[in-house]
Amino acid sequence: MSSGRKYLLEAYHAIFQNDFQKAIDAFNKAIRCEPTNASYYYKLSITYSRNGDMKEAIEAAKKACELQYNLTYRYHLQILQAKNLVMVAVDLMKKGILTEEIENILIQAKTLDPLNIEAYLILGIYYGEKQRLSQAIKEFNMVFGLDPFHQQAKELREYYSKLYKEGD
């Protein structure tokens, strides 16, 4: 068994114990043993993501993609980038910033990960705040295409639908 593989097993054991920091440390040891093993970076990226460290997760995913062309690695990177973009948009909106930049960020997130429910939901909220009610309703309807029982989207769609009808 390679020394990298030994650390990989240590990382899995830590994950099963929900000790993500210990798993991260073990993955990094595995990487030091086998620095060109793309799968170690990919697994490290997943663990960083579970630990809430998006910046490090994205960096590790990029490294995996650089080392090996793999559709799973590429898709994982896109999901992380989309998630990060949604977080950026939410932070800006919490600060009261409602510029076109937010719309562009969320559209980019939807392009990177068409299954990212939060991107549609937050874009719907953005459109609602900008009084672009038909677009808001459309985004909430897109959420239902992904999750037909999404309660928050249902409530927001009903709210903005009433406003839209009142505006006629």
Side-chain angles (χ1 to χ4, degrees):
M1 175 185 319
S2 73
S3 54
R5 180 104 173 112
K6 176 184 116 181
Y7 290 120
L8 183 66
L9 294 174
E10 184 181 310
Y12 286 151
H13 183 70
I15 289 169
F16 288 127
Q17 295 176 333
N18 287 318
D19 189 344
F20 297 118
Q21 189 54 55
K22 187 175 181 181
I24 288 166
D25 294 340
F27 282 126
N28 279 317
K29 288 176 185 175
I31 288 168
R32 281 194 291 279
C33 292
E34 298 177 45
T36 60
N37 189 323
S39 73
Y40 292 173
Y41 288 95
Y42 170 70
K43 292 167 182 144
L44 175 63
S45 173
I46 292 169
T47 307
Y48 271 130
S49 177
R50 287 180 178 160
N51 204 40
D53 191 341
M54 290 302 292
K55 180 182 179 217
E56 293 295 332
I58 289 169
E59 288 306 311
K62 283 180 182 177
K63 185 67 176 175
C65 290
E66 288 171 15
L67 289 171
Q68 179 182 341
Y69 181 80
N70 180 302
L71 291 177
T72 300
Y73 298 171
R74 299 245 177 249
Y75 183 61
H76 173 68
L77 175 58
Q78 286 179 223
I79 289 170
L80 292 175
Q81 289 171 326
K83 217 183 263 191
N84 192 58
L85 288 170
V86 171
M87 290 170 40
V88 167
V90 167
D91 286 345
L92 290 171
M93 289 175 70
K94 283 181 179 177
K95 294 175 184 172
I97 299 169
L98 291 171
T99 63
E100 191 176 305
E101 176 188 8
I102 291 173
E103 179 181 14
N104 294 333
I105 288 170
L106 292 167
I107 289 170
Q108 183 181 0
K110 288 180 359 178
T111 301
L112 286 168
D113 180 8
L115 302 177
N116 187 319
I117 290 174
E118 292 299 309
Y120 295 97
L121 184 69
I122 302 303
L123 186 56
I125 293 169
Y126 168 82
Y127 286 142
E129 292 294 314
K130 298 296 273 184
Q131 298 301 308
R132 294 162 61 182
L133 303 178
S134 66
Q135 287 175 290
I137 294 165
K138 177 183 169 201
E139 294 301 322
F140 298 133
N141 286 335
M142 293 298 292
V143 171
F144 288 118
L146 299 170
D147 179 359
F149 305 104
H150 197 284
Q151 189 61 36
Q152 188 178 13
K154 178 183 176 189
E155 292 169 5
L156 288 165
R157 182 180 67 177
E158 289 172 4
Y159 173 75
Y160 287 117
S161 291
K162 285 178 188 173
L163 291 178
Y164 187 69
K165 288 177 186 172
E166 290 172 6
D168 286 344

